[in-house]
Amino acid sequence: MKTGWYGELTRNEKKTWWACLGGYTLDSMDSTIYSLVMPILLSLAILTKTEAGILGSASLIGSALGGWSAGMLADRWGRIRVMQLTVLWVACFTALTALCGEFWQFLIIRFLQGLGYGGEVVVGGVLISEVIRASYRGRVGASIQSGYALGYAISLAVLPVLLNFFPQEIAWKLFFLIGILPAVLVWFIRRLVPESSVFSNTTQNKQPKKITEIFQAKHRRITVTATLLASGIFGGAYIMITWLPTYLRMELGLPVMSMSGYLAINILGSLLGPFIYGRLSDKFGRWKTIILFLLCQMVVVSIYMFADVSLNMTLGLGFFLGALQGGLASGLTPAFSELYPTHIRGSGAGFCASFGRGFGSLMPALVGIVSSQIHLGYAMGGLAIASYCIGIIAALCLPNATGVNLSEVN
């Protein structure tokens, strides 16, 4: 997939793109450490399967609250200032996880880390949507999601190195301490990236009247339907993200090094998927593209979890799983940003994406409970497909606002 659009961006558009991509990459590195460390925590009997699922959901619930809160703050204080705050927040609470030793300690820290991660994702998505011109908004905004794959790849590369030099009882703690690195990005954001001109020019004389404005009559249907769409997409995605490393290692019996190879293919798909989605969404529209990706994801998950496939086949399916998953997640905040006026854009897009993520976060915990009764793969597959069906129904009910002028949305 060609990325010639980068050469067409202005200097400010490029700086904003790098800031959003860097923030998402480093925060993704921090958030994915937990899923890679989970098998170690289970093997050391620090956590049970049920507790592991609850912790995954706690972080996602925190990200829901953080995304909406950060969106509201960004509507008042500005996109750049709040983005700086969220990056620092994630870095600090990731490092503090290394001090945890009991379930309740993990629960509190994971929830607080989720607050910052959800905020960074939303504010970055709104910022890039406002800065990039309409004709490139879909593909450039979606490309930020590739930062998730980059961050996951960094985590995946670091873990085997730590395990090679340290026993796993120490390695997992060091892994979390590395999470302080995203704080370095704040210097770049503060010194080089300008505030969104759409925000600066529009909100000088108009501020949100109250936090419930997105639920008033003219916005209520959009808010509820978009939240259901995000719930379906994230519910299925977080099932696979949270449980795939455990499924590969504990159900298929793959050692850490082999598991890393399989996850690397999945991450490669996640890297390319947003670029494919972005180009298609600019050409065919946001919701048509999302429905196409959801249908394809249902097919891939069905084969991945229910069919008797070889390990080589699992490797290939993992690529498509990552590509579709990354593409779906990449389009939500830019698409939601086109549905709200500027003075409530952060709040509206933040609520829909973040509470959708929060509602979807119940699914990993449900997998942990259901998998105590049936095979883990069946629990993952069945619940993921149910989530994708919810997303398809919601997408069919949303209006198409592809490529609108964000300064004129009212």
Side-chain angles (χ1 to χ4, degrees):
M1 183 61 65
K2 296 181 179 179
T3 56
W5 50 259
Y6 181 80
E8 301 296 324
L9 301 182
T10 66
R11 183 178 180 183
N12 281 342
E13 287 176 328
K14 288 179 180 178
K15 287 192 294 185
T16 303
W17 184 80
W18 279 110
C20 293
L21 179 67
Y24 202 2
T25 297
L26 294 174
D27 280 1
S28 168
M29 180 193 75
D30 283 0
S31 67
T32 54
I33 288 174
Y34 173 72
S35 64
L36 295 175
V37 166
M38 188 196 301
I40 296 176
L41 298 178
L42 292 174
S43 66
L44 294 175
I46 296 175
L47 299 174
T48 65
K49 271 189 178 182
T50 300
E51 290 173 341
I54 292 173
L55 289 178
S57 294
S59 175
L60 299 176
I61 292 172
S63 73
L65 297 175
W68 188 26
S69 301
M72 289 188 291
L73 291 176
D75 285 338
R76 289 166 169 78
W77 298 350
R79 317 313 192 195
I80 293 298
R81 186 183 302 177
V82 177
M83 191 174 178
Q84 295 168 353
L85 173 63
T86 57
V87 172
L88 282 174
W89 186 281
V90 172
C92 292
F93 281 103
T94 299
L96 285 175
T97 310
L99 304 178
C100 295
E102 298 180 359
F103 168 69
W104 291 108
Q105 294 173 339
F106 280 104
L107 184 65
I108 294 171
I109 296 298
R110 286 290 294 168
F111 174 79
L112 292 173
Q113 186 212 39
L115 288 175
Y117 179 72
E120 193 282 329
V121 171
V122 166
V123 176
V126 171
L127 175 64
I128 200 73
S129 297
E130 291 183 342
V131 171
I132 302 300
R133 72 199 79 167
S135 59
Y136 289 106
R137 186 182 301 138
R139 68 200 80 174
V140 179
S143 71
I144 299 302
Q145 177 66 27
S146 62
Y148 178 86
L150 294 174
Y152 202 170
I154 294 171
S155 296
L156 194 60
V158 171
L159 180 57
V161 175
L162 292 175
L163 290 173
N164 186 55
F165 290 98
F166 302 95
Q168 60 180 5
E169 293 83 356
I170 298 176
W172 74 265
K173 294 178 179 290
L174 295 176
F175 203 9
F176 280 112
L177 287 174
I178 293 174
I180 198 67
L181 291 178
V184 178
L185 184 68
V186 172
W187 181 90
F188 172 78
I189 297 174
R190 178 176 296 175
R191 296 293 300 273
L192 301 178
V193 182
E195 181 58 86
S196 159
S197 60
V198 172
F199 170 81
S200 300
N201 296 334
T202 305
T203 60
Q204 288 177 350
N205 300 316
K206 191 171 186 181
Q207 290 289 331
K209 297 178 181 178
K210 50 187 177 180
I211 64 174
T212 58
E213 187 170 349
I214 62 173
F215 301 107
Q216 292 178 356
K218 62 181 178 179
H219 301 301
R220 187 184 304 123
R221 185 177 68 85
I222 294 294
T223 299
V224 173
T225 309
T227 301
L228 285 174
L229 171 61
S231 299
I233 289 176
F234 284 119
Y238 283 130
I239 286 172
M240 309 308 294
I241 291 169
T242 302
W243 285 103
L244 186 59
T246 301
Y247 175 77
L248 293 176
R249 183 172 179 183
M250 303 190 74
E251 299 294 336
L252 298 185
L254 296 179
V256 172
M257 295 303 293
S258 297
M259 182 188 74
S260 297
Y262 279 78
L263 289 178
I265 297 296
N266 181 267
I267 291 170
L268 178 61
S270 298
L271 180 65
L272 298 178
F275 292 98
I276 299 172
Y277 167 84
R279 185 169 291 273
L280 292 177
S281 72
D282 276 339
K283 184 175 183 180
F284 299 111
R286 312 297 186 223
W287 312 131
K288 289 182 180 179
T289 307
I290 281 180
I291 291 172
L292 173 63
F293 272 54
L294 283 170
L295 291 172
C296 293
Q297 189 72 306
M298 290 173 67
V299 173
V300 172
V301 169
S302 297
I303 299 173
Y304 206 120
M305 294 298 165
F306 301 143
D308 184 15
V309 296
S310 65
L311 292 181
N312 289 333
M313 179 68 73
T314 301
L315 179 64
L317 290 172
F319 172 83
F320 291 103
L321 182 72
L324 294 168
Q325 194 167 269
L328 286 166
S330 70
L332 287 182
T333 302
F336 294 161
S337 296
E338 294 174 324
L339 300 176
Y340 291 95
T342 302
H343 72 285
I344 58 168
R345 181 167 296 126
S347 177
F351 180 89
C352 296
S354 299
F355 270 74
R357 185 180 293 111
F359 293 139
S361 73
L362 300 175
M363 301 304 286
L366 188 56
V367 168
I369 296 171
V370 174
S371 64
S372 64
Q373 303 296 324
I374 65 175
H375 187 272
L376 177 60
Y378 293 160
M380 292 171 62
L383 293 173
I385 290 173
S387 294
Y388 298 143
C389 288
I390 293 173
I392 290 174
I393 294 172
L396 290 170
C397 300
L398 283 169
N400 179 34
T402 302
V404 299
N405 185 336
L406 295 186
S407 298
E408 300 177 358
V409 176
N410 56 25

